[in-house]
Amino acid sequence: MSKTRIKRYIKSLRSFRIWHRYLGISLALLLLISAVTGILLSWKKEFDVIQPATQKGASKELQDWKPMHELADIASTHFYQIYPTQNDNPIARLDVRPSKGIVKVFFENEYWEVQVDGSSGAILSVAQRNSDWIESIHDGSIISDLFKLISMNFLGVGLIMLLSSGWWLWYGPGLIRKWKKGSGRK
C-alpha cells in the first residue's frame, strides 16, 4: 500500500471521527427518549400502572355475547357517570378479545379504557392506559405525525450511519497499522 493511499485513509478516519461525534450528539436525545420509553413499554404487561391488566369475562363464546353497540353503550354510559367531565370524550375504538371474554372500549382523549364482559355487560375495569401516551412519546407522534415520520427516519438512518462509521473507526486503525507494517518491509 502506498504512503499516499495510507495518508488518505488516515484523513478519512479523522473526518469520520468528527462527523461520528456530531451525529452521535445530535441523536443522543432521541436515543435516550426512545430507550427509556422502550424499557417502560417492554414492562407494560407486568405493571398495571403502565397498562391495566386484561380482565377475564364469563364466556368466550361469541354467540353468548351482547351486540357490540350495546357493549359500547354500556361502557360509555358507565364511564360518563364516573367521570362526568369526560362527557365529550368519544369512543375511539373497540378491542374485542374473544379469548378473554371481554371488549376493551378505548376513548379518544386522555387514554381511557373500559373493559366490559362480553356476555353479561358487566364493567370489569375503568382505567387510563399510560402505555399509550408512553408509546406516543416513544415514536414521536405526541408532537405530530410529521414529526414522527421525520424523527424516526432520522433516528433509523442516523443509527445505521453511526454503526457504519463506528465500525470503520474501530477497524480502520488496525488496518492502517497492518498496511504501514507491510509497506515498511519492502
Side-chain angles (χ1 to χ4, degrees):
M1 176 83 46
S2 72
K3 287 185 180 189
T4 309
R5 206 158 175 204
I6 291 173
K7 284 182 181 181
R8 194 173 42 204
Y9 280 106
I10 291 170
K11 189 176 180 182
S12 85
L13 271 173
R14 288 184 183 136
S15 65
F16 264 70
R17 197 172 291 124
I18 291 167
W19 73 261
H20 181 86
R21 179 183 313 126
Y22 287 115
L23 182 60
I25 290 168
S26 65
L27 286 174
L29 182 61
L30 284 175
L31 282 170
L32 179 64
I33 291 168
S34 187
V36 170
T37 55
I39 290 168
L40 289 172
L41 288 171
S42 72
W43 286 92
K44 70 182 180 183
K45 301 277 187 191
E46 308 304 320
F47 296 102
D48 293 349
V49 71
I50 298 175
Q51 180 175 306
T54 301
Q55 304 300 312
K56 291 191 180 183
S59 174
K60 296 178 183 180
E61 302 300 322
L62 290 175
Q63 65 267 17
D64 298 339
W65 284 27
K66 293 181 178 292
M68 287 299 133
H69 68 87
E70 195 175 318
L71 294 171
D73 287 343
I74 290 168
S76 60
T77 301
H78 183 80
F79 178 63
Y80 298 146
Q81 285 174 350
I82 296 174
Y83 299 103
T85 58
Q86 295 291 324
N87 278 339
D88 60 344
N89 192 353
I91 292 175
R93 67 184 191 279
L94 303 178
D95 181 2
V96 180
R97 304 274 178 105
S99 63
K100 300 284 185 178
I102 65 156
V103 174
K104 291 184 178 186
V105 179
F106 298 108
F107 291 85
E108 207 162 288
N109 305 311
E110 300 182 30
Y111 311 105
W112 284 98
E113 163 192 296
V114 177
Q115 294 183 35
V116 184
D117 184 300
S119 60
S120 71
I123 302 297
L124 303 174
S125 168
V126 178
Q128 279 188 303
R129 294 176 55 89
N130 291 317
S131 61
D132 289 355
W133 64 263
I134 293 170
E135 185 175 337
S136 66
I137 291 171
H138 181 72
D139 68 11
S141 63
I142 197 161
I143 295 173
S144 73
D145 285 338
L146 179 62
F147 180 81
K148 172 185 175 179
L149 179 68
I150 292 169
S151 67
M152 290 299 107
N153 278 288
F154 177 64
L155 189 58
V157 170
L159 283 173
I160 291 168
M161 292 171 67
L162 277 176
L163 286 169
S164 302
S165 62
W167 177 84
W168 178 239
L169 290 171
W170 170 78
Y171 182 73
L175 190 61
I176 290 170
R177 279 191 296 276
K178 181 180 169 185
W179 289 338
K180 280 183 174 179
K181 234 185 225 182
S183 66
R185 288 188 209 151
K186 292 183 179 181

